[in-house]
Amino acid sequence: MRFDETQAATLETILRWRRDVRHFRCDPVDEAVLTRLAEAMALAPSVGNARPWRVIRVEDAALRAAVRANFQKCDEAAAADYADEQAVAYRALKLAGLDAAPVQLAVFTHIDPAEGHGLGRRTMPDTLRQSTTMAIHTLWLAARAANLGMGMVSILDPAAMERIFAVPEDWAFTAYVCLGHAEWDDDTPLLHRAGWQENAPTPWEVR
């Protein structure tokens, strides 16, 4: 299989317009689209082909409320790290789409799966978490190609998340994902646009 310039340009456009979305409409997402997104996520690479990601689709109102409470507690603690104008700027940021996103996913990593037979992770066990991260990014691109927005909530206590969802001891919390129709599209990261942190190039070092 060889891709032409048009297809390559389409991929670049998807990458450029993939944003960490926090502003969602409440419209439901078609179940057929969600099925395709799950199938796309399954195409992600993984160490030893272990496919260690474990996904819980969170529909229960009590579970969603517990996640929001976890976020609010962690957000307050994070805000206390800043002072003066930066503290004001932090509190002005919208850092999660928990109240509106119609689809919410709790993503965990199975930290010692039988699948893969240990291949590739003996000296680098973090490759399992890296595999889950790549699966999340694959889902992100597929969602954007389906004209959906996605955001990852990182201001959470991982141990609390594992307790909230009562997962097995060998599942490690990796990410909480909000998914749905974005209120607007943007090719510039929200934190750049808000003046918190601009995009900066990362040059490839040559040695």
Side-chain angles (χ1 to χ4, degrees):
M1 177 65 185
R2 296 186 62 83
F3 301 101
D4 60 29
E5 291 183 3
T6 300
Q7 292 166 314
T10 298
L11 175 58
E12 182 179 352
T13 300
I14 293 169
L15 290 168
R16 187 175 303 280
W17 284 87
R18 182 218 56 82
R19 297 272 62 85
D20 190 352
V21 175
R22 290 90 179 266
H23 299 81
F24 291 94
R25 305 200 314 259
C26 295
D27 316 28
V29 177
D30 186 272
E31 289 295 327
V33 174
L34 290 177
T35 297
R36 291 199 299 272
L37 293 183
E39 293 169 350
M41 190 179 189
L43 298 175
S46 66
V47 63
N49 203 26
R51 305 161 69 80
W53 48 91
R54 305 290 183 263
V55 182
I56 297 173
R57 181 172 166 183
V58 186
E59 296 289 336
D60 183 78
L63 287 175
R64 288 194 176 197
V67 172
R68 285 197 301 274
N70 184 355
F71 168 80
Q72 289 163 358
K73 180 179 179 180
C74 294
D75 188 44
E76 284 299 317
D81 289 340
Y82 302 104
D84 304 324
E85 292 182 1
Q86 197 170 34
V88 174
Y90 178 87
R91 291 187 180 278
L93 295 170
K94 182 174 175 59
L95 297 174
L98 295 169
D99 292 330
V103 180
Q104 300 184 22
L105 308 174
V107 185
F108 298 82
T109 301
H110 191 174
I111 58 175
D112 190 22
E115 293 82 0
H117 312 288
L119 178 67
R121 62 182 194 255
R122 181 176 182 275
T123 57
M124 294 182 63
D126 280 352
T127 50
L128 286 165
R129 295 176 188 264
Q130 291 167 2
S131 297
T132 301
T133 302
M134 287 189 284
I136 292 168
H137 189 247
T138 300
L139 173 64
W140 218 324
L141 296 181
R144 190 65 192 88
N147 295 308
L148 294 173
M150 185 170 131
M152 191 163 66
V153 184
S154 61
I155 305 174
L156 294 165
D157 177 355
M161 293 295 285
E162 291 161 10
R163 290 193 298 270
I164 288 169
F165 290 97
V167 296
E169 290 186 0
D170 55 359
W171 286 23
F173 176 69
T174 304
Y176 195 83
V177 170
C178 293
L179 181 67
H181 299 278
E183 286 189 351
W184 67 83
D185 295 327
D186 199 347
D187 64 348
T188 302
L190 181 61
L191 295 181
H192 180 126
R193 192 171 291 285
W196 181 266
Q197 175 62 62
E198 294 187 358
N199 276 12
T202 305
W204 289 17
E205 183 176 343
V206 179
R207 297 191 180 187

